[in-house]
Structures are given as C-alpha cells and as structure tokens.
Amino acid sequence: GEVKGPNISRKLEAMYDKTVKWKPNFFKLPTGEKGKAFVAEMTRLIDMWTNKTSMESVSLLALQVLAPIMLQKPSRKSKNKDHIKYLGERLEKWKGGLFDDLISECETIQKKLSQNPKLKSQDN
C-alpha cells in the first residue's frame, strides 16, 4: 500500500538493503518526457536535502534507490519503447508511495535473472 510519514524511512531502508544486492540490469535513461520526469524527480530529492526540508533525512536514501527501481529492465529483450512505458508507470507508483508494488515488480525481474544464468544484463 501507500507509504507516508515516518514509515517512509523504514521502507526506503528496506528497499536499499534489497537493491544493493541486485544484479545489474538497467536500461539507458530514455530521452523525452519520461526521461525528463526521472531527472526532475532526482533533482527534487537532491533539493530536499540541500534545502534542509522536513524530508532531508530520507532524501538521499530515496535518491539511492530511485535508479535501481526505475531503470530495471523488464526483460532481456525489452526495447526502448518498453523502457519508456515502464519508467512512466514506475514514476507514477513512486509518486503515489506504492513502494511495495515497485519492489515486488523488481524482485520478480531479479528472480528471473537468478533462475536463468544464461540471461545477462544488456543495455538497449
């Protein structure tokens, strides 16, 4: 479900603990609207920290999990149009605080990578 308030810190810490153990499986940041939205979110998180907002304590942690979650390739043969679609959907979930949905999706992808050693991460 949606995460708010003091639970955000605990949730982000749990996400970080998982993402740092993942196999690299990232797509290149798409250009256009979705790529700009990703950069805007990164900038927003950095601004929270530099401007000492109430979210300062979690902003850098959020920044550290943002890329592994947002840029996870959905499949070995996914194309740029797929990456744009997934990035847009994931950003909406992120903004809505649906961290459990995001981590579950990415854990499923990581599990598939682990189950098939022939699958190697490739950038498209």
Side-chain angles (χ1 to χ4, degrees):
E2 188 177 344
V3 179
K4 291 186 175 180
N7 292 330
I8 290 175
S9 181
R10 286 191 294 278
K11 184 58 69 175
L12 287 171
E13 287 171 7
M15 291 171 74
Y16 177 80
D17 289 344
K18 291 178 181 189
T19 61
V20 295
K21 297 172 187 163
W22 287 352
K23 293 180 182 183
N25 181 47
F26 307 117
F27 57 80
K28 292 180 182 174
L29 182 64
T31 59
E33 177 187 346
K34 303 303 181 197
K36 288 178 183 176
F38 174 81
V39 172
E41 180 61 14
M42 291 185 76
T43 303
R44 186 181 75 84
L45 293 170
I46 292 167
D47 285 346
M48 283 183 189
W49 185 75
T50 58
N51 295 325
K52 300 188 185 307
T53 67
S54 61
M55 296 296 288
E56 176 186 17
S57 63
V58 297
S59 60
L60 291 182
L61 189 56
L63 188 65
Q64 290 176 310
V65 300
L66 185 67
I69 297 287
M70 295 296 128
L71 303 180
Q72 189 78 214
K73 277 183 81 168
S75 71
R76 181 172 59 118
K77 295 184 180 184
S78 61
K79 303 291 182 207
N80 191 54
K81 67 178 183 174
D82 302 315
H83 303 159
I84 293 168
K85 173 185 170 255
Y86 278 91
L87 180 58
E89 291 171 358
R90 291 172 184 164
L91 282 168
E92 287 304 312
K93 289 178 183 178
W94 177 267
K95 289 176 185 175
L98 301 173
F99 299 143
D100 289 336
D101 292 353
L102 287 166
I103 204 77
S104 177
E105 175 187 340
C106 292
E107 283 181 321
T108 300
I109 294 167
Q110 285 291 314
K111 192 177 291 184
K112 288 179 186 176
L113 288 174
S114 298
Q115 290 172 347
N116 189 347
K118 291 180 183 177
L119 293 179
K120 293 190 177 182
S121 172
Q122 301 172 359
D123 281 295
N124 282 342

